[in-house]
Amino acid sequence: MPKLFAEPLNIIITGVGGQGNVLASQILSVAAAEAGYRVAVGETFGVSQRGGSVMSHVRISRDKPIGPLIPRGRAHVVAGFEPLETMRVIMDYANPDTVVIMNDRPNYPLGCLLGEDKYPHPARIEEAVKKMVSRVHTLPATHLAQEAGSPLAANMVMTGAMAASGLVPFGREYFIRTIESLFTGGVRELNLRAFDTGYSRISG
Amino acid sequence: MTIMGVREEKPGVRVALTGNESIARGALEAGVAYAASYPGSPTAEVLGTLAKVAGEHDIYVEWSVNEKVALEGAAAASFTGLRSLTVMKADGLNVALDFAGALAISGCRGGMVIVVGDDPAAHSSVREEDSRNLCKVIHLPVLEPSSVEEAMDMTREAFSLSEELALPVVVRCVTRVCHASGDVKLGKIARTEREPEFQRGDRVITFGIALHAMQEQKLTRASALFCKSGFNSYTGPQRAQRLIIASGPSYMYALEALEMLDLSRETGVLKLGTTWPLPESLLLDYLINASEVVFAEEVEPFVEDNVMALAARHWKDIGSITFYGKRSGHVAGPAGPGIGEMNPDILAGSLSKITGAAFKSPVLSGRKGALELLGEKMPGRDLALCAGCPHRASFWSIKTALELDGRGGIVLGDIGCYTLGIARTGYHILQTVHCMGAGVGIAGGMGKLDRFGFNRPVITVVGDSTFYHAAVPALINARYNRSNFMLVLLDNETTAMTGHQPHPGRSSTATGEPADTVHMEDIIRGIGIPCSLQDPYDVEATIDVICRMLQQEGPRVLILRRTCALAAVKGKQKNRVYVDGKRCIGDACGCGRFCSKVFSCPANIWDAESGKARIDEAVCNGCGVCATLCPRQAITVERTV
Ligand code: SF4
Ligand code: SF4
């Protein structure tokens, strides 16, 4: 078993309900368990289909049982499916060494649609994120997913990016195997394609 | 986290499961034969998981009309000697409580487990009720898992315990167990080999005080068994002076908090997996050495109060102890003691206050600068009805109809996705929300107040699943007593809120077998109440019919039937909807950005660059309602079918 760069390794996946967060955390943690690690996942989704903020805490350990919630400031990786939500999670859970992988596509909260709040320009959000943490990978995950076949596969693009980041202690094959075991037919093909797009985007 | 994991036959392997799957697996390993539930978060997926494997394990699995009926059915199986499971959320235990309390007196035969999902912080509930208090009232033993793996082990063991005590056993799981995942070590799936039997002359009854005495004896017995239970464990130094008593996931948080504060060596942690009745002699063994006790639990100070009462009874033996917890105010989250969830940070903060040990989270130095750079306040994210949700169209129509009607009509609410009618996404239209079915009962009362001069038109909305669950008696009452209100039945043909489970209005059961559909129209007309049907996506016609029905007298029902947008598009190609940039003339139109700002489907966004409306194709579900409302007909729907 390769060494974890942290024990436990704390990963937060965040986004908006309906973006497929939970599925991404499922793939990550099933793959981790397959690779022989112990995992604990805490999902905060509430009534998730209904467009609120969602957040999965994924904790991977070599051999220790762990609680499902990551303490503040102790995330090693934040994978953000939506810029504003990424920013929100970073402010609470990141430290200067946290690595951030972020989708650049905003999903506008109701208050912004109603004109009561203003959604900050995504480029500004990226700049702000870079002020807090030094390693930030931004990618057009929704756009890439659309090219792969459906904007809804953005979660797989992001999962691919996570797998390629070198931050998770197990290889791509565990992810592929998990995706293959969870889906069939066209959805499987789409998800594998989207995963690959995200993977090659980061691994170069 | 996968059904393959639940199915895995090899004992001893480790697989990753969600808390709810692990509860289902525990029941399978115990040889459960009968499982019944009404869906409720956070435990909704337990029964769904069992339904998937019901065929191969030959178990009976049903979605029941409500929790009380589910519990009664499960009790029947237990009376014949089979093992049975019921699953409900805390609110569901309230519904089932009358029978649960009676059952606790009569007792049961085959192992009977009641899984109750509590939702601290009310992530997906209207309240954060702590069901342990109710279990104490009705005299049922409670086990409380601290992790996903323990949820499986406890569920399995709860069946034997139930048989040993001849009493149903509650496994109380909080959201951070149900909606958590973790790797668990599987045991062996047991197939039920029992033959059900309930002979002439067999009696299971609830009567008289003799049974009450027996009930108390059972609990005394349970307490003795719990003193030896492997679910209670201690870690820490021998004879710790400072002792944390922790239950549920707070146990994991406590361990982590101690590590963060570097206090692990000097503090003992007693994990209480059996929270009611208390394992008294076990607790006393630890209390005797302790001079400081800290409580870590969710939500109410349940263990705390009961341990303090125990300590008071034995004060002569155990001497003086300082208790820190919710009562003392030391263990508290941001909303105050006894309110909301626990987490490692809250416990570390509390322990730091109590012990003086320093607690520092890693600091994010750029935080302030980053916020300044954004220039504006970070927008919050309200919950919103999904794009294309039929409820949005329904609420829009009700709102418009009431404005046209002009008599200041009021709208009462109920429990489901449409509860969001209290929020911006539902135009703040709902004025009361309480519990399943309550809206209809309240409307019944409002509709009788005319003699006192209350003359506003009354509309109450209820969903299809909630209608079957709890609204029917209130409707019978309204007809019988001639109350005056209009019920709008928001029929999205599923139990959407909890993940699209079927209900008696559907044509198949939990396990996908054909069902005898109970049509809501038949029930309503059978009660003698007039009932109309309308598709809410046709907003104009809906407004018309509401206006017309507002003029009528007596109880009346309008069914607004349209499949939940999420269920409708699942696995299907969606309609493509787009804004014609030539027709949309932006703010020059005078519509006030109707689609995004007023109607506010989350897929109707505003493109600041072009100054025109746009449809977010990643979000739109293709319902086409916005297209019918746009005053310039600038939105086009390309139908896929
Ligand atoms: S068609 Fe219009 S109202 Fe319907 S989901 Fe799409 S944007 Fe929303
Ligand atoms: S899940 Fe269905 S009923 Fe619930 S908000 Fe979404 S579209 Fe509406």
Side-chain angles (χ1 to χ4, degrees), chain A residues 49-50, chain B residues 385-386 389 391 417 492 496 564-566:
Chain A
Q49 295 147 349
R50 267 68 47 176
Chain B
L385 297 164
C386 302
C389 176
H391 300 328
C417 287
N492 59 7
C564 155
L566 282 195

Short mmCIF file of all heavy atoms in Angstrom, two decimals, chain A residues 49-50, chain B residues 385-386 389 391 417 492 496 564-566, ligand 2:
data_model
loop_
_atom_site.label_atom_id
_atom_site.label_comp_id
_atom_site.label_asym_id
_atom_site.label_seq_id
_atom_site.Cartn_x
_atom_site.Cartn_y
_atom_site.Cartn_z
N GLN A 49 -31.91 17.24 -3.49
CA GLN A 49 -32.33 17.45 -4.87
C GLN A 49 -32.72 18.90 -5.06
O GLN A 49 -32.84 19.36 -6.17
CB GLN A 49 -33.54 16.56 -5.16
CG GLN A 49 -33.22 15.10 -5.10
CD GLN A 49 -34.40 14.29 -4.61
OE1 GLN A 49 -35.38 14.83 -4.13
NE2 GLN A 49 -34.30 12.98 -4.73
N ARG A 50 -32.98 19.58 -3.97
CA ARG A 50 -33.56 20.90 -4.07
C ARG A 50 -32.53 22.03 -4.02
O ARG A 50 -32.70 23.02 -3.35
CB ARG A 50 -34.61 21.07 -2.98
CG ARG A 50 -36.01 20.72 -3.42
CD ARG A 50 -36.27 19.27 -3.72
NE ARG A 50 -35.77 18.37 -2.72
CZ ARG A 50 -35.95 17.07 -2.75
NH1 ARG A 50 -36.62 16.50 -3.70
NH2 ARG A 50 -35.44 16.29 -1.84
N LEU B 385 -37.01 24.65 -5.23
CA LEU B 385 -37.65 23.58 -5.97
C LEU B 385 -36.84 23.36 -7.24
O LEU B 385 -36.31 24.31 -7.82
CB LEU B 385 -39.08 23.98 -6.33
CG LEU B 385 -40.02 24.23 -5.14
CD1 LEU B 385 -41.26 24.99 -5.58
CD2 LEU B 385 -40.41 22.91 -4.49
N CYS B 386 -36.73 22.12 -7.69
CA CYS B 386 -35.94 21.81 -8.88
C CYS B 386 -36.45 22.60 -10.08
O CYS B 386 -37.62 22.99 -10.13
CB CYS B 386 -36.06 20.34 -9.24
SG CYS B 386 -35.56 19.23 -7.94
N CYS B 389 -39.99 21.90 -11.60
CA CYS B 389 -40.84 21.27 -10.58
C CYS B 389 -42.30 21.69 -10.77
O CYS B 389 -42.61 22.87 -10.86
CB CYS B 389 -40.37 21.69 -9.19
SG CYS B 389 -41.44 21.03 -7.90
N HIS B 391 -44.54 21.81 -8.63
CA HIS B 391 -45.02 22.62 -7.50
C HIS B 391 -44.81 24.11 -7.75
O HIS B 391 -45.59 24.94 -7.29
CB HIS B 391 -44.29 22.24 -6.20
CG HIS B 391 -44.47 20.81 -5.81
ND1 HIS B 391 -45.60 20.10 -6.06
CD2 HIS B 391 -43.64 19.96 -5.16
CE1 HIS B 391 -45.47 18.86 -5.59
NE2 HIS B 391 -44.28 18.76 -5.05
N CYS B 417 -41.70 17.98 -0.62
CA CYS B 417 -40.88 18.99 -1.33
C CYS B 417 -41.57 20.34 -1.29
O CYS B 417 -40.94 21.39 -1.17
CB CYS B 417 -40.68 18.60 -2.79
SG CYS B 417 -39.57 17.22 -3.05
N ASN B 492 -47.59 14.63 -7.48
CA ASN B 492 -46.45 14.44 -8.40
C ASN B 492 -46.15 12.95 -8.60
O ASN B 492 -45.09 12.58 -9.06
CB ASN B 492 -45.22 15.21 -7.93
CG ASN B 492 -44.77 14.77 -6.55
OD1 ASN B 492 -45.31 13.81 -6.00
ND2 ASN B 492 -43.80 15.45 -5.99
N ALA B 496 -41.45 12.23 -3.57
CA ALA B 496 -40.25 12.81 -4.18
C ALA B 496 -39.18 13.15 -3.16
O ALA B 496 -38.00 12.85 -3.33
CB ALA B 496 -40.64 14.05 -4.97
N CYS B 564 -43.27 14.48 -10.82
CA CYS B 564 -42.07 15.17 -10.34
C CYS B 564 -41.08 15.31 -11.48
O CYS B 564 -40.80 14.36 -12.20
CB CYS B 564 -41.48 14.36 -9.19
SG CYS B 564 -39.72 14.60 -8.92
N ALA B 565 -40.54 16.53 -11.66
CA ALA B 565 -39.66 16.79 -12.79
C ALA B 565 -38.43 15.89 -12.79
O ALA B 565 -37.96 15.46 -13.85
CB ALA B 565 -39.23 18.25 -12.79
N LEU B 566 -37.92 15.58 -11.62
CA LEU B 566 -36.74 14.73 -11.56
C LEU B 566 -37.07 13.32 -12.01
O LEU B 566 -36.33 12.69 -12.76
CB LEU B 566 -36.19 14.67 -10.14
CG LEU B 566 -35.38 15.84 -9.65
CD1 LEU B 566 -34.63 15.43 -8.40
CD2 LEU B 566 -34.42 16.32 -10.71
S1 SF4 C 2 -37.82 16.32 -6.43
FE1 SF4 C 2 -39.59 16.57 -7.80
S2 SF4 C 2 -41.23 17.33 -6.51
FE2 SF4 C 2 -39.31 17.59 -5.37
S3 SF4 C 2 -38.63 19.71 -5.83
FE3 SF4 C 2 -37.68 18.37 -7.34
S4 SF4 C 2 -39.08 18.32 -9.09
FE4 SF4 C 2 -40.19 19.14 -7.34
#
